Amino acid sequence: MKMIWILIVVLAASRAFAQSAYDFLNLDVSASEAALAGSVMSRTDDPTGFYYNPALSVGSKDRAVTFGFLKHVLDINAGYLFSTFHLQDKGYFGFGVGYINYGSFTTTDDNGNEYEPFSAGDVLVTANYSNFLAENFSYGFNVKGIYSSIATSKSAAAAFDAGLYYNFPANMFGIGFSIQNVGGQLNPYISERENLPFDVRIGISKQLEHLPLVLNFAFQRLADPGLNTSNKLRSFVLGGEFLLSDNFHVRIGYDNLLHQQMKLGLTSGIEGLSFGVGLKFLGYGFDYSYSSWGKIGTLNRINITTSF
């Protein structure tokens, strides 16, 4: 078996220089968030917001649902469904499911003889709860079930997220904090158990007073053991959302660490940059994002959001 192809696929499906077999958990799960480089940690009504900060489902619309599709590099595709709803006197809830298909691969021996092809894929199921600790101050939790397969090998894991969110409505400002992917493998691929991509994130959002612009800034991968202190400080993302009307938004984002890691040689291009648009029409929201991995390729996402 040509294991090098499996390694290439796993790395391509996650962020560069991955730290575990489950780094697909670091992929953005919606077009609107991806267009902002995953920088939104507060002040959002996107149904996928709780995936980034579990405390954000308090700001999501009741009975909202979004369907997303990701066209990754190579033949990798992914689909997502996320929903949020409110229960009076009970709290705020979210649910999400995602699937990544890495395509079909051919097994060969050392002589080049081909055998029956195999496939690889990952499945994620997320359940969320959030509520208020005090006025404008919320907390939240996610519970994740994770399943991964490569050919006949399979692995399962469970994870837990926690988040806090404080909103300053008068200043149109918010701050969010989350701890993600606390847990472990229930069934490893091999005898040795691998770590989940544990992460600590903190970010802020600010809507400018005299401009139709919301700015987002966040630090990610603050707990990544593969990064030294200098690289952790460089692991920031920022995004800007232009609110051109109630029904039309333009978004742009930048992932600094991804930009550094995706550079080839001494040259630098648009790797790490992303942009997208959002349109609301007849009760539906349509979002598109484009994310650059430089010469490696691009990621394209679309989402359709509505209510039920």
Side-chain angles (χ1 to χ4, degrees):
M1 180 183 293
K2 300 294 187 179
M3 292 300 295
I4 185 64
W5 291 110
I6 297 177
L7 293 175
I8 290 173
V9 169
V10 172
L11 288 174
S14 61
R15 289 177 183 264
F17 299 92
Q19 57 172 306
S20 90
Y22 297 98
D23 269 281
F24 74 92
L25 297 172
N26 289 327
L27 287 171
D28 290 304
V29 297
S30 83
S32 60
E33 301 286 355
L36 296 167
S39 61
V40 180
M41 292 292 294
S42 62
R43 293 184 61 84
T44 180
D45 62 358
D46 192 296
T48 66
F50 69 83
Y51 188 79
Y52 301 85
N53 181 352
L56 289 184
S57 55
V58 300
S60 298
K61 295 180 180 179
D62 187 21
R63 299 167 62 88
V65 60
T66 185
F67 305 88
F69 174 77
L70 162 64
K71 176 57 182 171
H72 210 297
V73 297
L74 303 178
D75 292 324
I76 303 171
N77 299 306
Y80 299 96
L81 184 152
F82 276 74
S83 181
T84 53
F85 57 95
H86 310 163
L87 292 180
Q88 189 174 8
D89 301 325
K90 301 293 184 180
Y92 303 81
F93 298 84
F95 176 79
V97 60
Y99 175 71
I100 300 179
N101 182 356
Y102 298 105
S104 180
F105 305 90
T106 301
T107 305
T108 62
D109 59 22
D110 292 338
N111 296 320
N113 299 312
E114 294 187 0
Y115 298 92
E116 186 175 349
F118 67 93
S119 60
D122 298 314
V123 177
L124 166 70
V125 178
T126 305
N128 165 266
Y129 172 78
S130 69
N131 215 326
F132 286 97
L133 285 169
E135 185 178 7
N136 300 320
F137 186 29
S138 64
Y139 67 94
F141 305 100
N142 292 338
V143 177
K144 297 174 179 175
I146 306 157
Y147 174 82
S148 183
S149 67
I150 301 177
T152 59
S153 300
K154 297 175 175 57
S155 177
F160 174 82
D161 305 336
L164 296 171
Y165 163 45
Y166 200 98
N167 185 29
F168 301 84
N171 299 315
M172 297 184 291
F173 176 82
I175 182 169
F177 171 83
S178 70
I179 298 174
Q180 299 187 317
N181 302 320
V182 179
Q185 285 184 299
L186 305 175
N187 177 34
Y189 273 118
I190 54 178
S191 58
E192 183 178 353
R193 296 181 183 273
E194 298 179 80
N195 294 325
L196 298 184
F198 174 66
D199 197 9
V200 175
R201 303 181 181 188
I202 185 169
I204 59 174
S205 297
K206 169 65 177 176
Q207 182 170 346
L208 301 187
E209 187 172 356
H210 300 294
L211 285 175
L213 174 63
V214 179
L215 296 176
N216 301 281
F217 179 86
F219 283 104
Q220 300 180 341
R221 300 179 68 175
L222 294 177
D224 189 337
L227 299 178
N228 58 31
T229 302
S230 175
N231 282 333
K232 288 178 181 179
L233 293 177
R234 294 163 60 190
S235 184
F236 65 84
V237 290
L238 54 91
E241 183 168 16
F242 296 88
L243 314 177
L244 302 183
S245 75
D246 291 339
N247 298 317
F248 184 62
H249 296 180
V250 174
R251 308 176 180 106
I252 187 169
Y254 172 71
D255 186 325
N256 184 63
L257 187 61
L258 185 64
H259 175 76
Q260 299 297 324
Q261 293 177 333
M262 288 294 179
K263 287 195 303 185
L264 298 179
L266 299 177
T267 61
S268 178
I270 63 171
E271 53 274 341
L273 284 176
S274 57
F275 66 86
V277 295
L279 175 66
K280 295 179 181 180
F281 182 70
L282 296 177
Y284 290 88
F286 302 90
D287 295 285
Y288 167 78
S289 71
Y290 170 101
S291 303
S292 174
W293 280 17
K295 294 183 178 180
I296 295 176
T298 61
L299 283 64
N300 293 270
R301 295 175 174 87
I302 57 171
N303 270 78
I304 299 176
T305 304
T306 187
S307 57
F308 59 93

